[in-house]
Amino acid sequence: MLRPFALLAAVAVALAVPAQTRTVSLIVAHGTIVTVDGGRRVIPDGSVAIDGRDIVAVDTADRIAAAYRARDTIEANGSVVMPGLINTHTHAPMVLFRGLADDLALMDWLQKYIFPAEARMVSPEFVRVGTRLAALEMIESGTTTYTDMYYFEDEIARATKAAGLRGVLGETVIQFPVADAKTPADSLALTERFAKEFAGDDLITPAVAPHAMYTLDPDTLKACRALADRLHIPVIIHLAETNDEVKTAEDKYKLTPTAFLDSIGFWGPRTIAAHAVHVTPDDMAILARRHVGVSHNPESNMKLASGIAPVEAMRKAGVTVGLGTDGAASNNDLDMFEAMRQAAFLAKLVAGDPRSIPAPVALEMATIDGARVLGMDTLIGSLEAGKRADLIVVSMASPRQTPMYDPVSHLVYVTRGDDVTTTIVNGRVLMRDRKVLTLDSRRVLADARAMAEKVRAAVK
Ligand SMILES: [Zn+2]
């Protein structure tokens, strides 16, 4: 039994306004919070408190209102609040080649259009204009972190940082002369300079980006690994994208691409292998053993008829699989909602089983598993106190999204990038109520159209 004094004290505590109300920079309030945390919590009327670059609390709207006061509040009524999407593979400036040539065999497409266009067009200005356009598209469709492999990557990094996005960015290392390097050694020197310029940066993670095993000799591949180990930075590579690549590896080395790269000691932690379409069970065991993350790009694989990555089998073998769009020339957009949906549909179709890659798994692939692939899961990929404030607000008010029984189902099966209303990275609001704050949209689009005229002339 409670003594009167204790009872009074208890009542006083229950009624008191908390003496300690912490002031924070931003609260995203009254949304359906899809956390993708360890317990996969979904909070029907929840809020996220953000201070500076970090999330400080994720809880019911009442509890957040009681404990925090914010200098700025974004109302998320009727919306889902979720972690920003993580695109684990793209080539951002290729948005400028979007729709330039479609419906061609891969080698025709590359040799008649993409390589000549790149040889004539790629310059610092080209990648700046392209990256700004890609950043605008990503911010508007809810991507907060992306992985890139292209040329003049330092320019891409500066444009990415100015737009406020997070990037894991690597200068392409390839055997033939390219716009910014005559030899792979030149590319590696550029990579080292780039990595030093952005070391410790809050948004940019420099990476080493050898193009693929079939476009590089073993010594260069080993040099890429050595540089990544020396600088403690991630590695990005295309892996087993096509049957041609498998045949090349077989002819040259009598091994699969994955086994060949293992045989030269290429694999290591924080390595992102894009595609992994043609991998055997032995390859999957290697990828799991070496903790290599895979980026699955269902739309690019379908459009270029590269094949179907065995996502379910890789996951069962213990390989972490994230999602990517690949460059916009082979997709043709950077919408990660579409990547989620297509990944789920394709897995079901190929398995002959609608239970394959259910909605919660597709969502994890685009968020927390993407973060794991990049080795950044302690920082991003879910809404949890202590992580970076990378989050988006997704309107669920349209006829297409009505009614909503299950927010996770809606995010995967009906949502489109255009439904994103607000995008926040590192605690900074990049888009609010569909208005992008870090880029001059009109200027970005005008510059892109002007650059497209030059591309058109170059491939004539
Ligand atoms: Zn690619």
Side-chain angles (χ1 to χ4, degrees), residues 149-453:
M149 174 198 284
Y150 210 59
Y151 308 103
F152 301 103
E153 206 66 39
D154 56 335
E155 295 288 348
I156 293 174
R158 282 188 274 276
T160 300
K161 203 169 154 61
L165 285 170
R166 201 181 291 288
V168 177
L169 313 176
E171 172 72 31
T172 305
V173 183
I174 198 160
Q175 212 72 42
F176 54 80
V178 287
D180 60 354
K182 286 203 179 71
T183 65
D186 291 349
S187 300
L188 285 169
L190 281 178
T191 301
E192 183 155 5
R193 209 173 65 201
F194 168 55
K196 288 191 171 142
E197 183 183 343
F198 286 91
D201 192 273
D202 231 12
L203 290 174
I204 306 300
T205 303
V208 184
H211 177 265
M213 61 72 57
Y214 65 95
T215 48
L216 287 165
D217 63 34
D219 284 344
T220 307
L221 289 161
K222 284 188 216 167
C224 289
R225 166 50 60 196
L227 182 64
D229 286 350
R230 184 154 61 78
L231 301 178
H232 305 287
I233 59 177
V235 173
I236 305 165
I237 189 167
H238 292 101
L239 176 72
E241 181 176 359
T242 62
N243 270 321
D244 280 351
E245 179 176 339
V246 176
K247 194 173 175 309
T248 302
E250 179 62 36
D251 291 350
K252 262 181 144 166
Y253 307 113
K254 304 266 170 279
L255 290 166
T256 65
T258 309
F260 160 69
L261 289 166
D262 198 45
S263 75
I264 62 166
F266 177 83
W267 296 125
R270 290 191 82 187
T271 304
I272 304 139
H275 301 299
V277 169
H278 303 281
V279 285
T280 65
D282 286 347
D283 293 338
M284 295 179 207
I286 291 170
L287 296 174
R289 193 162 64 240
R290 302 290 183 209
H291 304 286
V292 175
V294 162
S295 173
H296 174 45
N297 295 251
E299 296 165 87
S300 168
N301 296 160
M302 286 192 275
K303 186 162 185 273
L304 299 176
S306 304
I308 302 166
V311 174
E312 194 92 85
M314 284 193 276
R315 285 170 49 84
K316 279 197 186 119
V319 180
T320 305
V321 183
L323 285 180
T325 56
D326 208 351
S330 58
N331 183 307
N332 289 359
D333 61 43
L334 304 177
D335 185 343
M336 284 289 294
F337 284 99
E338 217 184 301
M340 276 195 267
R341 181 153 55 248
Q342 298 299 335
F345 287 174
L346 183 60
K348 294 171 197 315
L349 184 66
V350 69
D353 183 352
R355 292 169 298 184
S356 185
I357 309 292
V361 172
L363 181 67
E364 286 161 20
M365 287 168 70
T367 54
I368 190 66
D369 285 350
R372 283 194 189 106
V373 165
L374 304 184
M376 296 171 81
D377 49 307
T378 58
L379 290 181
I380 56 173
S382 60
L383 300 183
E384 293 177 76
K387 282 196 171 182
R388 298 288 188 264
D390 288 14
L391 57 144
I392 58 176
V393 179
V394 184
S395 170
M396 289 291 171
S398 73
R400 171 168 38 82
Q401 290 160 313
T402 305
M404 181 170 78
Y405 298 108
D406 174 355
V408 172
S409 159
H410 261 31
L411 290 172
V412 175
Y413 294 129
V414 303
T415 299
R416 302 200 291 235
D418 297 355
D419 299 320
V420 176
T421 55
T422 294
T423 300
I424 299 169
V425 177
N426 224 33
R428 182 180 179 197
V429 183
L430 309 186
M431 177 172 77
R432 188 164 185 157
D433 300 327
R434 288 302 290 171
K435 179 160 178 39
V436 175
L437 306 174
T438 51
L439 289 158
D440 177 347
S441 305
R442 248 191 248 181
R443 169 91 193 273
V444 169
L445 297 173
D447 289 350
R449 289 186 187 112
M451 190 61 80
E453 286 310 314

